[in-house]
Amino acid sequence: MSGVDKQFFDEMLGRQPQGGPAPDASLKARAPYQDYHAWYCDEDLKQLNKKSAEAENVFRRTGITFNVYGEEDAAERLIPFDIIPRIVSANEWSRLSRGIEQRVRAINAFLFDIYHRQEILKAGRIPTHLIAQNIAFEPKMIGMTPPKNVYTHIVGTDIVCTGEGEFYVLEDNARTPSGVSYMLENRETMMQMFPELFSRNRVRTVSDYPRLLRRSLASVAPPGCDGNKPTVGVLTPGIFNSAYFEHSFLADQMGVELVEGHDLQVIDGKLKMRTTRGYKTLDVVYRRIDDEYLDPLNFKPDSLLGVPGIMDVYRAGNITIANAPGTGIADDKAIYSYMPEIVEFYTGESPILKNVPTWRCSEADSLSYVLEHLDELVVKEVHGSGGYGMLVGPAASRKELAAFEKKLRARPDNYIAQPTLALSTVPILTKKGLAPRHVDLRPFALVSDGKIDIIPGGLTRVALKQGSLVVNSSQGGGTKDTWVLED
C-alpha cells in the first residue's frame, strides 16, 4: 500500500490519493456526512483543538485507561480519542447488521456442532485436523450444552471498508471481545462536548448496551436459579489486566457485582459469592478471563485467577458462563478462512459479508506463495490479538522481513496471510485541520434466548500514524465515536 498514486476511499469525501492533500472545506462531503461537514466548515479550528484537549482531560479524569503488557509506563495509558465522528448511513448499517446477525447465528451453530455431532467435519467442509490440533478446542466441552444452546453471548466482529458499500470481515471475536466501554464513553463525551450536533443529526443511540447485556445474560440463566431475577457477576482477573476499566465499568453500568476468583467459592454444588452477609449464589458469570485460567482443577493448575471447581458446577447446569469455554475456536484465524463455508453450511444462505482472501500457511502451496510475496502481504498468528505477532509486509524493513521469514518457516501452521487491502480512511483532527487515517469497526452483538441485538455503531479504531494500517490501541491506535444515522 505504498506509493502516492494509491487510491483510498475516504468515508467523508470519497476517493482520495495517498499522500495527496488533506480534506478541506472546499471538498464536497458524501451524503451521510453533509450535515456534519457543513457544521465543521463553520467552526474555528483553534476552538475545535481546544475541545479535543478537553475530551482528553475527561478521559483522564474518568480513568479510561488500558495497560500494555511488558511496558513499564503502561499503567495509566490513555486511548487517544479523536473528536471527528465516523458516520454510517442507515442503508449501510442495515446491510452490515444483517450480515453480522447471519454470521453470529452461524458461529453459535458451528460451536454446538463442533462439540456434539461434528457434522461439518463429516461433510468434509473443514479439515478435521484444524479442530483436533487446535489449542482453542476444549475437549471438556464435548457433549456439553450451555443453557438455551448459546455458546457465545457477546460477539465483536471486526469489519473494514474498502469502498462505497464494500465491507469485509477482518476477524471474529467470540471469546472475550473488548472495547465496548470505549464505544459508550466516546458517545457520552461527544454529547457533552457537541450537544448541537445531536440536534442536527439523527444519530441512533448506543446507551442501551448495558441494559441489553444484562437482559442477554439473564435470559440464559440456568433453569434452577433462585427467583425471577438471576444474580449476575462480572469475573475479572483484577486491576492489572489491560481491560480492567471495562470490566468495572460494565459491572457498574449493569448494576451487578464485579468479582475476582478469590471472591467466589463452590459450596453445595453452587457457585457462591462472598458478601458482607455471607455467601450468595451466582447464577450467571460474565467471565473476562481466558479458558486456561478459569478453573485450576480442570485447566491450568497454578492459576490464581479462576475458581476451583467452577467447571463442575457448569457441567451440572448450576451456573451459566458467558462466553462459554471453548468458544475461542471461532476466533482462530485459520477457522476464519472457512467462515463462508460455515455460514452456508448452517444457514443455507450465501454470506452477506465477505471474508478477506486468506492463505493458510499450513498448506504447502499457500506457504510457498506467502514466502514469495512476503513484502506484499499482512501475516498474522492464528491465535494472535491486539496487533501483536503480525507483519505488515509493505511497511516492513528487509531485516524485519528476513526475521519473520524464519519464524514462518519454523512454524507455518501458526500463521495465515492476507492481501493488504486499501482500507478506507476517516479524517482526524490535527492542529492544521483534517487529515485522513485508516480505520476499522468493531460492532457488538448480544445473543439472548432466540434473539440477537446488534448495537447501532460499535467501536471505530483509527490508526493515528500517517499511512499506518494498524489500528490497535496497543500499537498506537485511537478511537472515534461511531454514528449510525436514522433512516
Side-chain angles (χ1 to χ4, degrees):
M1 297 188 67
S2 59
V4 295
D5 58 336
K6 186 73 176 181
Q7 292 284 314
F8 293 103
F9 175 66
D10 187 272
E11 296 184 23
M12 181 185 284
L13 299 164
R15 288 284 172 188
Q16 298 293 318
Q18 179 185 9
D24 60 43
S26 65
L27 297 172
K28 184 178 179 181
R30 291 178 59 240
Y33 281 88
Q34 283 177 1
D35 283 346
Y36 176 82
H37 191 250
W39 172 88
Y40 172 84
C41 292
D42 290 336
E43 293 298 301
D44 179 69
L45 180 58
K46 288 184 179 179
Q47 287 300 313
L48 287 176
N49 275 296
K50 185 178 178 182
K51 289 272 192 179
S52 182
E54 289 176 14
E56 181 177 321
N57 289 332
V58 168
F59 275 57
R60 193 177 300 279
R61 288 195 303 269
T62 309
I64 307 173
T65 61
F66 72 104
N67 298 335
V68 179
Y69 300 122
E71 296 192 14
E72 294 180 0
D73 63 342
E76 291 297 326
R77 180 171 295 187
L78 290 174
I79 292 184
F81 171 62
D82 180 66
I83 64 172
I84 307 297
R86 185 198 202 158
I87 305 178
V88 180
S89 72
N91 284 339
E92 289 172 323
W93 181 251
S94 176
R95 179 165 173 267
L96 278 174
S97 59
R98 285 187 290 110
I100 294 165
E101 179 174 349
Q102 179 194 56
R103 201 169 177 103
V104 170
R105 289 191 188 281
I107 286 173
N108 266 299
F110 166 71
L111 290 167
F112 181 88
D113 185 30
I114 285 300
Y115 289 112
H116 288 82
R117 296 180 59 84
Q118 300 189 339
E119 297 288 355
I120 197 167
L121 303 185
K122 295 172 184 175
R125 303 297 290 271
I126 295 179
T128 301
H129 75 271
L130 277 186
I131 303 297
Q133 300 174 15
N134 198 304
I135 63 172
F137 178 70
E138 184 43 67
K140 288 183 173 62
M141 287 296 293
I142 293 175
M144 170 70 194
T145 303
K148 311 294 175 63
N149 292 347
V150 179
Y151 281 81
T152 180
H153 310 75
I154 304 100
V155 182
T157 307
D158 290 352
I159 293 172
V160 295
C161 174
T162 59
E164 188 88 45
E166 296 174 3
F167 298 102
Y168 290 86
V169 175
L170 201 58
E171 63 182 48
D172 301 287
N173 297 278
R175 183 178 46 187
T176 52
S178 63
V180 74
S181 59
Y182 306 114
M183 172 190 80
L184 296 170
E185 289 288 4
N186 288 353
R187 175 60 56 82
E188 185 69 23
T189 301
M190 285 292 286
M191 292 181 76
Q192 288 180 22
M193 295 286 171
F194 307 103
E196 71 277 15
L197 283 174
F198 292 89
S199 61
R200 292 180 57 148
N201 296 270
R202 297 173 61 199
V203 181
R204 294 183 62 182
T205 183
V206 297
S207 62
D208 281 348
Y209 182 88
R211 179 182 63 81
L212 294 173
L213 175 59
R214 174 80 185 257
R215 186 181 75 180
S216 171
L217 296 173
S219 76
V220 292
C225 72
D226 299 329
N228 295 322
K229 291 187 177 180
T231 303
V232 179
V234 177
L235 177 58
T236 176
I239 60 173
F240 297 109
N241 184 264
S242 62
Y244 180 74
F245 167 80
E246 176 157 299
H247 307 165
S248 58
F249 175 87
L250 288 176
D252 180 63
Q253 292 289 307
M254 285 192 290
V256 304
E257 296 296 331
L258 180 69
V259 294
E260 297 182 35
H262 56 76
D263 299 319
L264 305 175
Q265 190 172 337
V266 175
I267 302 174
D268 298 329
K270 299 287 186 74
L271 184 67
K272 307 231 172 180
M273 169 180 62
R274 185 188 296 113
T275 73
T276 55
R277 297 183 179 181
Y279 281 93
K280 180 179 181 180
T281 300
L282 265 183
D283 301 304
V284 182
V285 170
Y286 176 24
R287 56 99 175 204
R288 295 299 295 262
I289 66 178
D290 291 338
D291 289 359
E292 59 264 38
Y293 297 100
L294 192 57
D295 183 347
L297 297 183
N298 283 275
F299 301 117
K300 196 176 174 65
D302 59 350
S303 171
L304 300 176
L305 302 177
V307 186
I310 189 175
M311 280 298 292
D312 299 321
V313 180
Y314 183 53
R315 279 192 289 261
N318 292 327
I319 187 74
T320 296
I321 299 175
N323 289 339
T327 54
I329 193 79
D331 289 5
D332 180 275
K333 292 178 176 61
I335 297 296
Y336 157 91
S337 66
Y338 287 96
M339 273 305 297
E341 289 88 346
I342 290 172
V343 169
E344 184 180 343
F345 189 83
Y346 295 108
T347 69
E349 304 165 349
S350 297
I352 296 170
L353 297 176
K354 295 181 286 188
N355 259 29
V356 179
T358 302
W359 291 273
R360 295 179 285 269
C361 296
S362 59
E363 300 171 1
D365 290 346
S366 293
L367 176 62
S368 176
Y369 178 86
V370 171
L371 290 171
E372 289 177 12
H373 300 84
L374 201 56
D375 61 341
E376 304 170 14
L377 302 172
V378 175
V379 188
K380 303 175 183 178
E381 293 182 347
V382 293
H383 293 291
S385 62
Y388 295 106
M390 67 182 288
L391 174 82
V392 181
S397 65
R398 288 185 179 180
K399 184 178 179 180
E400 290 169 332
L401 289 169
F404 207 94
E405 181 180 343
K406 289 182 180 179
K407 292 197 292 184
L408 193 52
R409 290 185 183 277
R411 288 196 61 194
D413 59 331
N414 193 45
Y415 297 94
I416 57 96
Q418 296 171 332
T420 48
L421 298 179
L423 302 188
S424 65
T425 61
V426 175
I428 65 168
L429 185 70
T430 72
K431 290 183 179 179
K432 295 182 179 180
L434 300 181
R437 294 292 186 271
H438 296 293
V439 292
D440 78 355
L441 177 65
R442 177 176 291 178
F444 295 91
L446 297 172
V447 184
S448 303
D449 179 15
K451 180 177 172 58
I452 298 176
D453 292 299
I454 300 169
I455 310 307
L459 179 67
T460 287
R461 300 181 298 178
V462 54
L464 296 175
K465 297 177 183 177
Q466 184 175 358
S468 174
L469 299 174
V470 183
V471 300
N472 306 79
S473 55
S474 56
Q475 309 295 315
T479 66
K480 287 174 168 288
D481 189 16
T482 309
W483 295 2
V484 172
L485 300 181
E486 296 279 4
D487 192 1

